[in-house]
Amino acid sequence: MREPTRRLAAVLAAACLPGAALAAAPDGARQEALLHLLRQDCGACHGMTLKGGLGPSLLPGALAGKDAADLALVVLEGLPGTPMPPWKVELSPEEAAWLVDRLKAGVGP
Ligand code: HEC
């Protein structure tokens, strides 16, 4: 590849990649922010280690057998009549799904 072409390809890749990542799953920096939110905000009710507090345990064992899409919906919409608030202002559906996947896999303290 000639040098100007190679440079153009690099610029295009840098310009396109973050957007592509955002549409599918959160990118690296956003993943960090989401895990921070999980520990700080979700942890306030579900416990610092997510083993339960005011809200139930969000550890893999507690979530096993529960549908990931249902759980993501709970995160987005909250559970009316309970302290579980809706997060759809802060989180996109993709981000809620990503968080539920992390929870089911076990994010650790
Ligand atoms: C103000 C307290 C509070 C905060 C903050 C909170 N939750 Fe909850 N959450 C609850 C309570 C209470 C319930 C259980 C409600 C019920 O069913 O009675 C719950 C339920 C859930 C459930 C359903 C669990 C199950 O086993 O069905 C999920 C998933 C969940 N929360 C995830 C989150 C996530 C992710 C966050 C942060 C983005 C979060 N919660 C923040 C209080 C909270």
mmCIF file of all heavy atoms in Angstrom, residues 12 17 60-61 68 92:
data_model
loop_
_atom_site.group_PDB
_atom_site.id
_atom_site.type_symbol
_atom_site.label_atom_id
_atom_site.label_comp_id
_atom_site.label_asym_id
_atom_site.label_seq_id
_atom_site.Cartn_x
_atom_site.Cartn_y
_atom_site.Cartn_z
ATOM 1 N N LEU A 12 -9.372 6.527 8.595
ATOM 2 C CA LEU A 12 -10.744 6.023 8.440
ATOM 3 C C LEU A 12 -11.059 4.998 9.528
ATOM 4 O O LEU A 12 -12.140 5.028 10.118
ATOM 5 C CB LEU A 12 -10.920 5.392 7.059
ATOM 6 C CG LEU A 12 -11.126 6.391 5.914
ATOM 7 C CD1 LEU A 12 -11.252 5.644 4.596
ATOM 8 C CD2 LEU A 12 -12.362 7.242 6.154
ATOM 9 N N LEU A 17 -14.220 3.096 13.996
ATOM 10 C CA LEU A 17 -14.280 2.049 15.016
ATOM 11 C C LEU A 17 -15.100 2.429 16.247
ATOM 12 O O LEU A 17 -15.946 1.643 16.669
ATOM 13 C CB LEU A 17 -12.873 1.619 15.419
ATOM 14 C CG LEU A 17 -12.259 0.584 14.470
ATOM 15 C CD1 LEU A 17 -10.858 0.213 14.925
ATOM 16 C CD2 LEU A 17 -13.134 -0.666 14.405
ATOM 17 N N PRO A 60 -24.040 -14.291 40.274
ATOM 18 C CA PRO A 60 -24.438 -15.256 39.237
ATOM 19 C C PRO A 60 -25.402 -16.333 39.740
ATOM 20 O O PRO A 60 -26.371 -16.671 39.065
ATOM 21 C CB PRO A 60 -23.100 -15.858 38.791
ATOM 22 C CG PRO A 60 -22.108 -14.778 39.056
ATOM 23 C CD PRO A 60 -22.580 -14.071 40.294
ATOM 24 N N GLY A 61 -25.155 -16.853 40.953
ATOM 25 C CA GLY A 61 -26.006 -17.915 41.483
ATOM 26 C C GLY A 61 -27.452 -17.466 41.640
ATOM 27 O O GLY A 61 -28.382 -18.237 41.386
ATOM 28 N N ALA A 68 -32.174 -13.258 30.733
ATOM 29 C CA ALA A 68 -31.335 -12.056 30.625
ATOM 30 C C ALA A 68 -32.131 -10.859 30.093
ATOM 31 O O ALA A 68 -31.954 -9.726 30.555
ATOM 32 C CB ALA A 68 -30.128 -12.334 29.738
ATOM 33 N N SER A 92 -28.506 2.780 27.888
ATOM 34 C CA SER A 92 -29.189 2.344 26.672
ATOM 35 C C SER A 92 -29.567 0.870 26.857
ATOM 36 O O SER A 92 -29.024 0.186 27.734
ATOM 37 C CB SER A 92 -28.262 2.493 25.472
ATOM 38 O OG SER A 92 -27.220 1.534 25.546
#
